[in-house]
């Protein structure tokens, strides 16, 4: 399939690299591709960034049949642009698509399309420290129809947004709040897929956390409300008595690529790493026994996000003296050094673009 390219005649002015924020600025072009049963995925095109005009009956607006991804392009010191594990994002996009009855995409083709789009937009990849070009591939159901069934037609699009550091306070510990009133996902549900609706479902708990002065929600499992699962939009790691622990992928946890990168690096460094069940009680006891060394989240947007305080019920506990711990620092540096080309890439994670 040939990708057609129609470049805009009116390029926007580029923002100041030192003040980008997250997800508010979009580049000049986007990638679009359509699906119809008789044609499969067709008409791949790079064209000016523009609104999508939709019939109000469009299925995604009513039943949320849509999936997305999030990854980044990084500029190296020598001015090259590279992606971090993009094949894994594309594979996950297809896994999420399968879960929502959305037709899969040819993975090699989509990677090529993504590279071409970034090639057209390479001047948009910011160069200031800790900045990057955030990439948002999305697939939505486009049949104009109010019956409940899988759509027959779809649109896949990719938009790009230059972003600064995810946490405006910088690499500082966040405060997280444990909720027993709400759950994010249950086994057999859609929690392990990156679907549009998962985030809608998490907003109310997030609001309550904010009201209490906490940045993110620490989610417990949806059945027993006992086991730790994820934090906000990140996976979570604990360091207890020298052991690095992350909840095992049990069917309701999103399999993060940053999570997997932390696990692979821990193994490479011969660290003690366990993927297992970990309960809130174990955490409380570890804290009481002085053995809870660190907690941190992992995800593309923040890479590693150290946790300094947890509130669960009436208990508030400080983690690592409220400071950024050595493990969080080590993983943050190792992963970002690979992403920005400052270090060797022992796992072959980096994919050059332009
Ligand atoms: C995307 C996402 C993550 C992190 O995945 P990465 O591939 O590391 O960015 C974690 N949890 C949820 C709920 C997510 O949507």
């Amino acid at each position: 399939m040939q990708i057609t390219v129609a470049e805009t005649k009116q390029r926007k002015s580029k923002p100041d690299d030192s003040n980008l924020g997250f997800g508010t600025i979009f580049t000049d072009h986007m990638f679009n591709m359509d699906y119809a049963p008789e044609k499969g995925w067709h008409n791949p095109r790079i064209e000016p960034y523009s609104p999508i005009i939709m019939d109000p009956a469009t299925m995604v607006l009513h039943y949320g049949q849509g999936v997305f991804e999030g990854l980044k392009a990084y500029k190296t010191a020598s001015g090259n642009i590279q992606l971090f594990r993009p094949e894994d994002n594309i594979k996950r996009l297809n896994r999420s698509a399968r879960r929502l009855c959305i037709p899969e995409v040819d993975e090699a083709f989509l990677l090529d399309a993504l590279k071409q789009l970034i090639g057209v937009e390479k001047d948009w990849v910011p160069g200031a420290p800790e900045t990057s070009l955030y990439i948002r591939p999305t697939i939505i159901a486009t049949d104009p129809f109010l019956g409940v069934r899988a759509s027959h037609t779809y649109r896949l699009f990719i938009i790009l947004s230059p972003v600064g550091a995810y946490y405006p306070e910088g690499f500082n510990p966040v405060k997280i709040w444990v909720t027993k009133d709400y759950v994010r996902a249950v086994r057999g549900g859609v929690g392990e897929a990156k679907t549009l609706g998962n985030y809608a479902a998490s907003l109310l708990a997030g609001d309550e956390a904010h009201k209490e002065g906490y940045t993110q929600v620490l989610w417990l499992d949806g059945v027993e409300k006992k086991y730790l699962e994820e934090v906000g939009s990140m996976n979570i790691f604990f360091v207890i008595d020298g052991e690095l622990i992350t909840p095992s992928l049990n069917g309701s946890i999103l399999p993060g690529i940053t999570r997997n990168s932390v696990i692979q690096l821990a193994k490479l460094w011969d660290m003690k790493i366990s993927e297992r069940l970990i309960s809130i009680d174990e955490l409380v006891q570890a804290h009481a026994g002085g053995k809870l060394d660190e907690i941190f989240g992992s995800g593309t947007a923040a890479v590693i996000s150290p946790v300094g305080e947890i509130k669960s019920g009436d208990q508030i506990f400080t983690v690592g003296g409220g400071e950024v711990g050595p493990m969080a620092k080590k993983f943050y540096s190792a992963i970002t050094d690979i992403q920005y080309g400052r270090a060797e890439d022992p796992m072959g994670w980096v994919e050059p673009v332009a």
Side-chain angles (χ1 to χ4, degrees):
M1 251 190 319
Q2 188 70 28
I3 298 171
T4 60
V5 181
E7 293 203 25
T8 178
K9 288 181 191 68
Q10 274 201 313
R11 292 197 174 236
K12 303 170 194 166
S13 58
K14 305 281 186 302
D16 172 7
D17 272 11
S18 63
N19 189 24
L20 289 169
F22 184 87
T24 56
I25 302 160
F26 301 97
T27 68
D28 292 307
H29 299 89
M30 67 191 294
F31 173 79
N32 281 307
M33 176 161 80
D34 299 303
Y35 181 90
E38 68 281 7
K39 288 182 177 165
W41 285 108
H42 65 282
N43 194 14
R45 56 207 187 271
I46 291 168
E47 54 194 352
Y49 185 96
S50 64
I52 299 175
I53 295 174
M54 284 192 275
D55 190 297
T58 301
M59 289 186 85
V60 69
L61 300 178
H62 298 271
Y63 307 123
Q65 194 194 6
V67 294
F68 69 99
E69 269 303 323
L71 68 160
K72 285 172 167 179
Y74 306 85
K75 189 177 268 177
T76 69
S78 48
N80 296 325
I81 296 166
Q82 52 191 33
L83 297 165
F84 184 72
R85 307 187 65 178
E87 289 98 338
D88 293 289
N89 289 94
I90 294 172
K91 283 200 182 89
R92 188 171 63 189
L93 182 69
N94 269 342
R95 280 203 306 276
S96 301
R98 272 199 294 280
R99 180 63 182 82
L100 293 208
C101 299
I102 294 171
E104 290 174 47
V105 182
D106 184 286
E107 292 172 6
F109 176 80
L110 193 61
L111 179 59
D112 190 51
L114 174 57
K115 287 182 179 175
Q116 280 195 44
L117 176 65
I118 293 169
V120 170
E121 301 290 62
K122 60 182 182 303
D123 294 344
W124 278 95
V125 185
E130 309 311 309
T131 62
S132 55
L133 187 69
Y134 187 79
I135 302 162
R136 170 53 58 85
T138 306
I139 309 177
I140 55 172
T142 50
D143 281 8
F145 178 57
L146 290 185
V148 175
R149 57 151 170 81
S151 180
H152 299 141
T153 61
Y154 297 87
R155 162 75 60 91
L156 182 155
F157 61 87
I158 305 175
I159 56 174
L160 307 172
S161 173
V163 298
Y166 188 73
Y167 290 95
E169 329 85 289
F171 194 50
N172 275 327
V174 295
K175 294 162 66 179
I176 59 178
W177 183 72
V178 181
T179 176
K180 285 204 171 175
D181 294 335
Y182 307 103
V183 298
R184 192 192 80 89
V186 290
R187 236 167 286 171
V190 291
E192 64 177 1
K194 243 178 145 68
T195 73
L196 307 183
N198 286 345
Y199 279 90
S202 76
L203 296 176
L204 187 55
D207 265 9
E208 292 196 11
H210 294 154
K211 278 190 202 124
E212 300 263 340
Y214 290 79
T215 320
Q216 302 256 9
V217 175
L218 178 56
W219 298 104
L220 300 177
D221 75 277
V223 178
E224 294 179 71
K225 297 188 187 171
K226 183 172 158 190
Y227 297 103
L228 302 157
E229 295 220 322
E230 296 201 50
V231 54
S233 53
M234 292 183 285
N235 295 110
I236 189 150
F237 287 84
F238 307 90
V239 185
I240 297 178
D241 208 10
E243 180 191 12
L244 181 63
I245 304 161
T246 193
S248 32
L249 299 177
N250 59 355
S252 55
I253 292 173
L254 196 288
I257 292 160
T258 320
R259 173 188 182 278
N260 180 268
S261 303
V262 169
I263 294 170
Q264 286 199 47
L265 285 175
K267 288 181 179 164
L268 183 71
W269 298 335
D270 284 326
M271 285 169 48
K272 194 175 176 212
I273 160 85
S274 315
E275 292 179 70
R276 63 168 174 85
L277 284 176
I278 172 167
S279 67
I280 183 79
D281 294 340
E282 180 180 348
L283 196 68
V284 171
Q285 272 165 27
H287 182 258
K291 291 183 171 170
L292 177 60
D293 302 325
E294 281 186 51
I295 303 180
F296 58 86
S298 72
T300 295
V303 187
I304 297 291
S305 183
V307 174
E309 184 183 311
I310 293 194
K311 182 171 185 193
S312 174
D314 296 330
Q315 299 182 70
I316 296 181
F317 45 100
T318 307
V319 186
E323 302 289 318
V324 179
M327 289 271 209
K329 272 191 197 140
K330 190 173 160 76
F331 285 110
Y332 182 82
S333 307
I335 293 171
T336 55
D337 284 352
I338 294 170
Q339 289 170 335
Y340 288 94
R342 296 186 292 250
E344 288 290 300
D345 173 24
M347 314 301 233
W349 282 338
V350 153
E351 178 88 28
V353 177

